[in-house]
Amino acid sequence: YILESIDKVLLGPARKSKIFSNKEKTIIAYHEAGHAVVAHILPNADPVHKVSIISRGKAGGYTLKLPTEDRNLYDYKGFIDELAVMMGGMAIEKIQFGDITTGPGSDIQQATDLAKKIVTQYGMSKKLAPRTFGGKDEMIFLGKEIMEKSDYSEKTAEAIDKEIEMLINNALGTATKTLKENKSKVENVVKALLEKETLEKDAFGAIMNRK
């Protein structure tokens, strides 16, 4: 009941009335398995608590990860693994179907936002100085509109773009490698999801730890 409440708050109510074709359901199962398997394998990602192909909000399915303890500080290694987890859905779609759907759209947006923060806000870039890039000015017109103030050169802007692109490409590469090396585990998770629709933490862990 508590986990159901968490799901509802984070993702919205279950949309069991939303009908997917068998093909779409299979793609969603692979997509979520991609996220979940990468999260389980990479050492700095949060543990998977639930994987589901039941639609909630705008999502066709979802993978719920929760940290093992309350956290106020985040490190670079954790961010890098999190980026790979975000790209796991796209990676498995490419591996399994040789194409991608619109499903990873929100994942790509989240990954882009995180990569941008790593480079421009957290001083974690490997190539740029440990400083922030850009500020926020409030411009009041018919309401409040937040506009980003550029405090760096066009050359630096190009370097920032390249860093963000590198982080996302590396994340996709890590996800792809991880999923190819653990393809049998992906298949087992997909099979279970198509049968049961939802896997809780223990059931998912049992599949991943099966030899």
Side-chain angles (χ1 to χ4, degrees), residues 17-18 46 48 66 91-92 113 117 145 150 157 162 175-176 192:
S17 61
K18 191 169 184 178
D46 289 333
V48 174
L66 296 173
I92 197 62
D113 290 343
K117 287 178 179 176
E145 189 175 323
S150 177
K162 286 181 180 179
T176 300

Side-chain angles (χ1 to χ4, degrees), residues 55-76:
S55 177
R56 282 185 180 273
K58 294 181 180 180
Y62 61 97
T63 299
L64 178 64
K65 300 185 290 84
L66 296 173
T68 53
E69 57 188 13
D70 288 340
R71 184 188 303 159
N72 295 300
L73 297 174
Y74 298 83
D75 58 26
Y76 181 78

Side-chain angles (χ1 to χ4, degrees), residues 22-169:
N22 288 335
K23 179 182 177 182
E24 287 177 326
K25 200 171 181 181
T26 300
I27 292 171
I28 292 168
Y30 272 100
H31 184 100
E32 297 308 327
H35 289 308
V37 170
V38 174
H40 182 88
I41 298 295
L42 296 185
N44 301 297
D46 289 333
V48 174
H49 275 247
K50 180 185 285 190
V51 193
S52 179
I53 57 172
I54 295 174
S55 177
R56 282 185 180 273
K58 294 181 180 180
Y62 61 97
T63 299
L64 178 64
K65 300 185 290 84
L66 296 173
T68 53
E69 57 188 13
D70 288 340
R71 184 188 303 159
N72 295 300
L73 297 174
Y74 298 83
D75 58 26
Y76 181 78
K77 290 180 180 178
F79 282 147
I80 294 303
D81 281 4
E82 183 61 28
L83 283 173
V85 173
M86 289 175 178
M87 301 305 290
M90 181 180 191
I92 197 62
E93 286 189 20
K94 279 189 172 182
I95 293 168
Q96 183 65 26
F97 306 106
D99 199 0
I100 59 169
T101 67
T102 55
S106 61
D107 300 331
I108 295 168
Q109 182 178 356
Q110 290 175 16
T112 303
D113 290 343
L114 177 55
K116 185 176 181 181
K117 287 178 179 176
I118 290 171
V119 176
T120 65
Q121 294 184 28
Y122 303 145
M124 293 178 175
S125 168
K126 300 297 184 183
K127 294 184 178 180
L128 299 171
R131 52 154 288 192
T132 59
F133 298 91
K136 293 196 183 289
D137 282 345
E138 287 191 358
M139 305 293 290
I140 302 176
F141 294 102
L142 296 176
K144 273 188 178 178
E145 189 175 323
I146 306 297
M147 299 188 68
E148 194 168 287
K149 182 178 72 174
S150 177
D151 59 356
Y152 48 87
S153 67
E154 285 188 19
K155 184 178 179 181
T156 300
E158 289 180 8
I160 290 171
D161 284 344
K162 286 181 180 179
E163 280 279 276
I164 293 170
E165 188 174 323
M166 179 270 294
L167 286 170
I168 293 173
N169 281 336

